[in-house]
Amino acid sequence: MDLVALVVLGAVTVTAASTATNAMCSRISDDSSSTCRTLEETALLQAQWREAQSLRIPAKIEDLVLKLALEDVHRTAVAAHRAAAVPTEQHRVTTALQAAAVEHHDTPLATLQQPVEWNFTKGDPEAIKQWIAWDRAEGWSSPSRPGVNLSNKEVWPDLKGAPKGWNFGLADPQVFVLSMPLRATRRQRFKQQIESLCLSADLHWAPALDGSRIPPELRWMNGFVDKQSWDYSRPGNWACYASHLAILRQAHAACPTCDVVVFEDDIVFAPDFKNRWASFLAALPLDWDLLRIGGQSQWEPPFEITADYIRAKAVSNTWGYVVRARSVDSLAKLLAEMPIRGNWGIDAVFQLFSKDLPMYSPLVPLVFAASECHDTEKLINKEGCETAETLRKSERRLYEAWPLGYARTYCRSPSDLRAPGREHCVANTSDACCPYVSPPRGMLSGSPNTC
């Protein structure tokens, strides 16, 4: 298909979107007319983009004509937004065009959303450039990604807050749920779980990056395929790291004064979650920056253990965590330095910051994973490893035998540290340091979660 044909194709495919945007734009004030024009151009280019993809237009035409144009117009739209004289009018224009995109486009993933500002401080400069190009073409910042259609509510169900619900007791929290596109079964079950908590805040799906689609030489901004790295056979490790970083970057850009809550899609909330959470939050020192509310293990002896909380050093898993508003940008910057680069997962990397960003855990995990499918492993797209029934069974087993603590991987046995160099434990025989290796399990007291 030549360039002339592409232009003709674009003129035909944007009719529906043009009708919607023109009708809306005709009603706005003159002060916002430049904003409307640039937003309309973005909507039209997105329609062209999707049609080009569906007809498999050659990459050269797609790259040079569509991708660059979309990126340029997107930046213009953002600038026009910021220059708008009346913020409420600007917001109305954006909202209306997003609604039009949902109605007329197949994959309304990132309509009018700014690309992620990754700001990596380490790595090969050329690899960083290539990563940014890949990201905007088919990664987190792309207008469309395979398997991600947020307007399909059967696959990506709405997570609307309850009008008279509660908000975790946090500062205007932004709540995100990280989910691989193929995990539709998890998302349906998560919706049931979260609705039982009666939260007031809307939750937002964060479609996770698929490590198998990322060029391996772009992992950790290396610029080459590192076959010696621990995660060489785990493409999801970098994808997971980058997905969490993207959430933090965009959350801070959207609301610098908002706390951020991140859940993974396969979690189960502990019985009586609201009361357990409220008691934990009320007991915390005022210096908290990061809360790790779900994990399987404590990998290092905690800095402090009290009757109400653990001042943690190293906690496994990112099933659920909270970042205080004042520390979201700091945590993102620390992660962008990629201090370990492929030798640890993001859950382990957090321990490097636990002195500067005080990190706390409840004595008993408040969320726990119900799935045995690990999306960071080599078989990242393996189907059939879980079903609605296996998730239900795992959930029932958890409620019958909830972990009453964390595995202490730094212990050989009760009261016996595995290795020297952990002097911040009270003593090698301290029950607080090594009360057990594997935690006891049992049914948690309290009422079931109901709204």
Side-chain angles (χ1 to χ4, degrees), residues 110 112 183 209 227 237 253 268 284 304 313 321 346 350 368 385 450:
L112 308 179
R183 301 301 185 198
L209 293 172
K227 294 185 178 181
N237 189 47
V268 173
L284 289 173
E304 180 186 11
K313 181 178 181 181
Y321 64 92
I346 189 171
F350 279 154
F368 212 84
C385 67
T450 56

Side-chain angles (χ1 to χ4, degrees), residues 135-147:
D135 172 57
R136 297 190 180 190
E138 54 183 299
W140 194 279
S141 302
S142 174
S144 63
R145 274 194 272 156

